[in-house]
């Protein structure tokens, strides 16, 4: 059998509108330059609820409390004050993490304070720039000073003096859209450049004193020469997201790149839903006389003008009074136009596209919406935990970089700074198994430090708390013993005085009898509620003050013993594995 083939050129996709299957309409909106990609990622971050919530959780969740490893208490307090009160380093790490997840890059540097002085070229006197009048000229970086000493108006020489004041240190996050990076692929060393924004240049050119008096001289010189500012070596900490080797290794690649087309697709679907809602959600209703049979057409038998007027009047009356009744000589019909918007909506497609956005960021859906459990998603939890642990390592390195630079500037000693261990999976069953095994071995399996670490407790703080409790308990017992001795002496003195005077008294007698009577009263008081107890003690105080004093002392002693017994029982339960 012979087959005849048609011309294959007619079946080719060459010359058609969409020859490439990877090319679609939304591809034309994808950015082609890296700095433009940064702008798109900014837009996605603020306009996609899923992206905004996911990146915020990713940036906030792994940031825990700082741990300072040093034996010098003074040095530890200095760094705690610097990181937690002055720099607010936890918030800075969160903001830096947002930069890394949005742009794929984060550029951080530290501003160390200085005082700028102007030296008069006539008399040589030195003046703080904040306390004198001067005029600034950008060309040539000229400062003209009205000298308070010699009263001359002449050029002044700028002298900047560093001040080692921790409260004036500031951490700067630089806009990646204004940065440029040049990297040596062999050595891995990078040089960083910063394009000073146009509004900053204009303010300096106008002589804005808030900038001129505080901006470092290299920035002023760069603006005057209309160049790009180059950072000194090791002055920038660059945190960047991982990227394939085929992409420029100078930059981190934004993780949100894979979500751009999906976001555009969702935008198209939402726009379609908006058009459907505007046209098809609210129906258009038409009232008309309805033909009952083929031979009885109401249009022929009644006046249509009168019917329309009567219908309008009855509709107005019905709106005023919902119980209004209308009488019509013919049947009425309603024709509805539109109203099928719910069936035309593309809500399912939008939901599926949003799921793709979440998946493209490598985030489990349950992490964003809740419901992530250790029992049902073990593999997913472990992958997410490893991902966050790698990110936490980068945050620790940034915190250590800040500590090293600030320590050298302030002449403080070196300190190792890290975050508390981050764990996404909190395996309660594993903890209980370790506690039970430790109890069976008599406490020889795990150390106290390891036991405290299972519950994120600081063993040193717990020791300090226990020590303070023992001291307070010893003080209380000592005070109670002294009061009891004083009370016994008072009772003996009263008994001797009564015996010498020959006067009977209800409180005079054997001390053992008085204490026994007080103990019996205490047993009754322990069984009463607070209101009854207070009322009884008030009456006893008015009738017999000595007995009242003994009862109060014995009551406090009984309550102390009861609290000690409860505490001992709780400790025994804790050693047995019952937390």
């Amino acid at each position: 059998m012979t087959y005849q083939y048609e011309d294959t050129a007619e079946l080719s996709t060459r010359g058609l509108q969409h020859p490439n299957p990877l090319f679609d309409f939304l591809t034309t909106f994808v950015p082609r330059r890296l700095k433009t990609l940064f702008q798109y990622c900014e837009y996605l971050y603020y306009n996609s609820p899923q992206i905004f919530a996911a990146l915020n959780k990713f940036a906030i969740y792994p940031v825990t409390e700082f741990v300072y490893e040093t034996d010098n208490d003074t040095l530890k307090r200095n760094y705690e004050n610097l990181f937690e009160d002055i720099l607010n380093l936890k918030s800075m790490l969160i903001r830096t993490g947002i930069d890394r997840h949005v742009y794929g890059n984060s550029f951080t540097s530290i501003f160390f304070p200085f005082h700028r002085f102007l030296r008069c070229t006539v008399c040589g006197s030195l003046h703080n720039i904040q306390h004198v009048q001067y005029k600034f000229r950008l060309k040539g970086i000229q400062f003209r000073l009205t000298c308070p000493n010699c009263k001359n108006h002449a050029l002044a020489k700028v002298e900047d003096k560093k001040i080692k004041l921790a409260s004036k240190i500031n951490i700067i996050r630089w806009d990646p859209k204004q940065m440029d990076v040049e990297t040596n692929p062999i050595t891995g060393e990078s040089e960083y450049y910063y394009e000073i924004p146009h509004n900053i240049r204009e303010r300096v050119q106008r002589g804005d004193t808030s900038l001129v008096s505080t901006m470092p001289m290299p920035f002023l010189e760069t603006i005057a020469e209309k160049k790009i500012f180059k950072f000194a070596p090791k002055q920038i900490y660059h945190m960047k997201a991982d990227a394939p080797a085929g992409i420029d290794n100078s930059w981190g690649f934004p993780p949100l790149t894979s979500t751009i087309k999906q976001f555009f697709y969702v935008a198209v679907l939402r726009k379609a839903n908006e058009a459907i809602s505007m046209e098809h959600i609210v129906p258009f209703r038409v009232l008309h006389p309805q033909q009952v049979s083929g031979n009885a057409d109401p249009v022929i038998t009644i006046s249509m003008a009168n019917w329309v007027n009567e219908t309008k009047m009855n509709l107005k009356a019905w709106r005023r009074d919902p119980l209004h009744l209308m009488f019509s000589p013919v049947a009425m019909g309603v024709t509805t136009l539109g109203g099928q918007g719910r069936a035309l909506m593309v809500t399912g497609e939008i939901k599926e596209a949003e799921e793709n956005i979440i998946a493209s960021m490598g985030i489990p859906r349950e992490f964003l919406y809740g419901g992530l459990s250790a029992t049902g998603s073990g593999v997913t939890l472990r992958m997410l935990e490893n991902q966050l642990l790698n990110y936490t390592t980068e945050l620790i390195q940034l915190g250590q970089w800040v500590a090293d630079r600030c320590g050298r500037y302030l002449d403080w000693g070196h300190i190792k700074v890290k975050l508390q261990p981050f764990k996404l999976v909190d395996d309660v069953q594993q903890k209980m198994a370790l506690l039970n095994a430790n109890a069976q071995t008599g406490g020889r399996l795990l150390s106290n430090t390891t036991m405290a670490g299972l519950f994120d407790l600081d063993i040193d703080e717990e020791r300090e708390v226990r020590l303070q409790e023992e001291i307070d308990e010893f003080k209380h017992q000592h005070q109670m013993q002294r009061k009891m001795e004083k009370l016994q002496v008072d009772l003996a003195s009263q008994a001797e005085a009564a015996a010498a005077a020959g006067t009977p008294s209800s409180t005079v007698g054997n001390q053992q009898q008085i204490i026994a009577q007080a103990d019996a009263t205490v047993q009754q008081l322990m069984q009463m509620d607070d209101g009854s107890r207070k009322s009884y003690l008030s009456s006893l105080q008015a009738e017999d003050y000595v007995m009242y004093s003994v009862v109060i002392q014995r009551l406090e002693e009984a309550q102390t013993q009861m609290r000690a017994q409860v505490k001992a029982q709780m400790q025994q339960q804790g050693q047995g594995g019952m937390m």
Side-chain angles (χ1 to χ4, degrees), residues 282-322:
V282 181
F284 178 67
R285 293 170 296 175
V286 180
L287 295 178
H288 54 82
Q290 187 172 358
Q291 185 174 359
V292 180
S293 61
N295 297 327
D297 189 355
V299 177
I300 301 175
T301 58
I302 65 173
S303 172
M304 293 303 299
N306 292 337
W307 182 87
V308 171
N309 292 332
E310 289 291 332
T311 303
K312 288 182 178 180
M313 292 174 58
N314 282 275
L315 281 175
K316 291 180 180 179
W318 172 72
R319 292 185 182 277
R320 291 192 299 267
D321 181 10

Side-chain angles (χ1 to χ4, degrees), residues 1 115 130 138 153 220 243 270 309 430 465 524 546 556:
M1 183 179 293
H115 280 164
Q130 302 289 347
L138 182 60
H153 185 70
L220 295 177
R270 291 187 182 278
N309 292 332
Q430 181 181 5
V465 172
Q524 297 176 3
V546 175
E556 291 181 358

Side-chain angles (χ1 to χ4, degrees), residues 369-384:
Y369 294 104
L372 197 62
S373 61
T375 57
S377 306
V379 178
T380 303
L381 274 174
R382 184 60 60 189
M383 294 175 60
L384 181 60

Side-chain angles (χ1 to χ4, degrees), residues 57-58 61 362-385 388 422-426:
K57 287 187 175 182
F58 244 62
Y61 196 79
I363 300 174
R365 186 181 184 277
E366 294 82 4
F367 181 78
L368 186 59
Y369 294 104
L372 197 62
S373 61
T375 57
S377 306
V379 178
T380 303
L381 274 174
R382 184 60 60 189
M383 294 175 60
L384 181 60
E385 183 176 357
L388 290 175
F422 164 74
K423 292 182 179 180
L424 184 65
V425 181
D426 191 8

Side-chain angles (χ1 to χ4, degrees), residues 17 62 77 101 105 130 176 198-199 229 252 340 392 395 417 450 485 525 529 539:
Q17 187 175 5
R77 287 194 299 269
H101 289 108
N105 299 269
Q130 302 289 347
H198 183 68
N199 62 329
F229 179 78
Q340 69 274 23
T392 305
L395 296 180
V417 180
T450 303
E485 291 175 355
L525 292 175
D529 58 277
S539 301

Side-chain angles (χ1 to χ4, degrees), residues 180-360:
D180 284 309
V181 185
E182 292 183 0
T183 302
N184 186 334
I186 306 300
T187 63
E189 297 179 350
S190 299
E191 294 181 347
Y192 297 94
Y193 299 86
Y194 180 66
E195 178 67 31
I196 301 177
H198 183 68
N199 62 329
I200 299 297
R201 294 177 179 270
E202 286 186 347
R203 290 177 59 187
V204 172
Q205 191 170 5
R206 292 198 309 265
D208 190 334
T209 56
S210 62
L211 285 179
V212 173
S213 60
T214 57
M215 182 173 287
M217 287 301 297
F219 274 88
L220 295 177
E221 294 170 357
T222 301
I223 295 175
E225 297 172 1
K226 299 181 180 179
K227 294 182 179 180
I228 298 177
F229 179 78
K230 180 181 178 181
F231 287 93
K234 299 182 180 180
Q235 299 299 313
I236 287 288
Y237 189 90
H238 183 193
M239 185 189 302
K240 55 185 178 181
D242 298 331
I247 297 177
D248 186 7
N249 59 358
S250 301
W251 294 86
F253 203 66
L256 296 182
T257 304
S258 59
T259 66
I260 292 179
K261 291 185 66 174
Q262 288 293 327
F263 178 80
F264 287 164
Y265 178 57
V266 172
V268 172
L269 295 178
R270 291 187 182 278
K271 188 175 181 180
N273 271 358
E274 181 182 356
I276 293 172
S277 300
M278 296 291 292
E279 183 175 356
H280 297 282
I281 288 295
V282 181
F284 178 67
R285 293 170 296 175
V286 180
L287 295 178
H288 54 82
Q290 187 172 358
Q291 185 174 359
V292 180
S293 61
N295 297 327
D297 189 355
V299 177
I300 301 175
T301 58
I302 65 173
S303 172
M304 293 303 299
N306 292 337
W307 182 87
V308 171
N309 292 332
E310 289 291 332
T311 303
K312 288 182 178 180
M313 292 174 58
N314 282 275
L315 281 175
K316 291 180 180 179
W318 172 72
R319 292 185 182 277
R320 291 192 299 267
D321 181 10
L323 300 179
H324 173 74
L325 295 177
M326 176 183 175
F327 297 93
S328 176
V330 296
M332 296 182 63
V334 180
T335 300
T336 302
L337 302 178
Q340 69 274 23
R342 185 176 182 86
L344 299 176
M345 288 289 188
V346 289
T347 306
E349 288 76 5
I350 292 177
K351 184 177 181 180
E352 182 180 356
E354 290 177 346
E355 295 284 349
N356 292 335
I357 290 177
I358 298 173
S360 64

Side-chain angles (χ1 to χ4, degrees), residues 33 138 175 186 456 462:
R33 298 178 65 253
L138 182 60
D175 184 1
I186 306 300
D456 296 331
E462 296 301 321

Side-chain angles (χ1 to χ4, degrees), residues 155-201:
L155 289 175
K157 183 180 179 181
V158 179
E159 295 184 11
D160 293 339
K161 297 184 178 181
K162 294 182 179 180
I163 53 174
K164 296 182 179 182
L165 190 61
S167 60
K168 296 295 183 180
I169 297 178
N170 183 41
I171 297 180
I172 307 172
R173 294 161 47 233
W174 301 97
D175 184 1
K177 299 190 299 297
Q178 304 294 130
M179 298 291 296
D180 284 309
V181 185
E182 292 183 0
T183 302
N184 186 334
I186 306 300
T187 63
E189 297 179 350
S190 299
E191 294 181 347
Y192 297 94
Y193 299 86
Y194 180 66
E195 178 67 31
I196 301 177
H198 183 68
N199 62 329
I200 299 297
R201 294 177 179 270

